[in-house]
């Protein structure tokens, strides 16, 4: 039977690890956007040396499970790299999530870059702008608005993917829930609390997306 009193007692215990989940999400999000923009620009201009490398990178990261990537990086590569062997689990998870989400974000950003009218780039070239100035001042600002829905979708997926961090020993929301479940075996109440916390976080990100989308509409 559902124990309401236990649910209300365990909810704040699990929620106490919210800062770990948010730190992991926001850290990975920042680096994911950097990776995504870099790869998207390389793909957009098809830079000769880096383009085939990024295609291979995307094929691997988008074509394999995130769980396998986490285990391969933290346990597999640790056998050949002392740096990874001594790396903290939270750092390892943040790195793998950044690489994984960055691969998905790059495709969203690349599609947005392709949506920018080529006539604007030609006009920028006639005004004497360099390729770098054109991409920074004209293409990227417009592409950002177009890619905003897809990027927030990737961000929400990243938030939910952080729930795998407990598999490497990170004490986040899921890690705390697993610890509580091992003691009380009240999995119904515990994982209901987990689902509610993640649901509220997703609602928060969705609300932020609406605000940013409205701001972008006002700017353009």
């Amino acid at each position: 039977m559902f124990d309401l009193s236990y649910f209300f007692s365990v909810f704040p215990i699990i929620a106490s690890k919210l800062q770990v989940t948010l730190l992991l999400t926001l850290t990975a999000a920042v680096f994911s956007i950097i990776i995504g923009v870099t790869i998207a620009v390389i793909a957009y201009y098809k830079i000769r040396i880096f383009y085939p490398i990024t295609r291979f990178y995307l094929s691997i990261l988008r074509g394999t499970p995130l769980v396998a990537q986490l285990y391969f990086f933290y346990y597999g590569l640790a056998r050949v790299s002392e740096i990874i062997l001594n790396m903290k689990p939270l750092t390892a998870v943040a790195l793998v999530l950044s690489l994984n989400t960055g691969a998905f974000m790059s495709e969203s950003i690349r599609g947005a870059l392709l949506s920018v009218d080529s006539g604007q780039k030609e006009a920028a070239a006639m005004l004497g702008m360099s390729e770098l100035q054109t991409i920074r001042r004209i293409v990227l600002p417009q592409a950002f608005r177009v890619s905003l829905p897809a990027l927030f979708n990737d961000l929400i997926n990243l938030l939910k993917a952080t729930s795998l961090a407990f598999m490497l020993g990170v004490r986040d929301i899921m890690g705390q829930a697993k610890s509580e479940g091992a003691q009380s075996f009240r999995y119904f109440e515990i994982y209901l609390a987990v689902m509610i916390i993640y649901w509220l976080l997703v609602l928060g990100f969705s609300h932020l997306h609406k605000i940013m989308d409205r701001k972008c509409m006002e700017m353009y």
Side-chain angles (χ1 to χ4, degrees):
M1 297 294 291
F2 181 77
D3 190 336
L4 187 62
S5 62
Y6 178 75
F7 172 78
F8 282 117
S9 66
V10 80
F11 191 93
I13 297 175
I14 296 174
S16 66
K17 299 299 179 181
L18 180 61
Q19 59 181 354
V20 179
T21 295
L22 287 176
L23 175 64
L24 188 56
T25 301
L26 297 177
T27 302
V30 171
F31 287 103
S32 295
I33 292 174
I34 294 172
I35 293 171
V37 170
T38 303
I39 294 176
V41 171
I42 291 173
Y44 182 71
Y45 286 105
K46 293 187 178 180
I47 300 174
R48 186 173 302 175
I49 299 175
F50 300 107
Y51 182 70
I53 297 175
T54 57
R55 291 296 98 187
F56 178 74
Y57 165 82
L58 292 178
S59 177
I60 294 294
L61 270 294
R62 288 166 58 89
T64 55
L66 178 57
V67 175
Q69 294 170 21
L70 284 168
Y71 278 133
F72 173 74
F73 180 84
Y74 193 64
Y75 295 114
L77 292 181
R79 297 177 64 88
V80 296
S81 172
E82 190 173 344
I83 295 176
I84 297 175
L85 181 64
N86 298 321
M87 187 176 290
K88 293 181 179 179
L90 186 65
T91 304
V93 173
L95 181 57
V96 174
L97 286 176
S98 299
L99 293 171
N100 180 275
T101 307
F104 286 91
M105 282 188 173
S106 68
E107 291 298 284
S108 302
I109 297 170
R110 185 175 71 91
L113 291 174
L114 292 172
S115 70
V116 179
D117 186 11
S118 58
Q120 297 188 43
K121 292 177 285 184
E122 294 173 1
M126 293 179 63
L127 291 173
M129 288 188 181
S130 64
E131 289 283 358
L132 182 60
Q133 289 175 322
T134 302
I135 194 77
R136 182 170 58 88
R137 296 182 180 181
I138 296 177
V139 178
L140 281 179
Q142 296 183 63
F144 173 75
R145 180 175 62 88
V146 175
S147 65
L148 201 57
L151 289 179
F152 263 91
N153 186 59
D154 291 331
L155 182 60
I156 289 172
N157 288 332
L158 170 61
L159 168 65
K160 292 184 287 186
T162 61
S163 61
L164 298 176
F166 82 96
M167 301 178 73
L168 298 189
V170 177
R171 188 63 73 91
D172 63 337
I173 290 174
M174 281 296 293
Q176 186 66 29
K178 182 183 177 184
S179 177
E180 292 296 321
Q183 298 176 46
S184 66
F185 300 101
R186 305 293 302 188
Y187 297 111
F188 189 95
E189 295 88 344
I190 289 171
Y191 288 108
L192 176 61
V194 170
M195 290 178 63
I196 290 174
I197 292 171
Y198 275 103
W199 176 55
L200 292 175
L201 288 173
V202 170
L203 288 178
F205 279 117
S206 299
H207 182 65
L208 178 61
H209 170 227
K210 291 179 180 178
I211 294 174
M212 292 186 66
D213 190 51
R214 186 167 62 249
K215 293 291 184 182
C216 287
M217 292 295 291
E218 291 173 357
M219 290 173 62
Y220 294 95

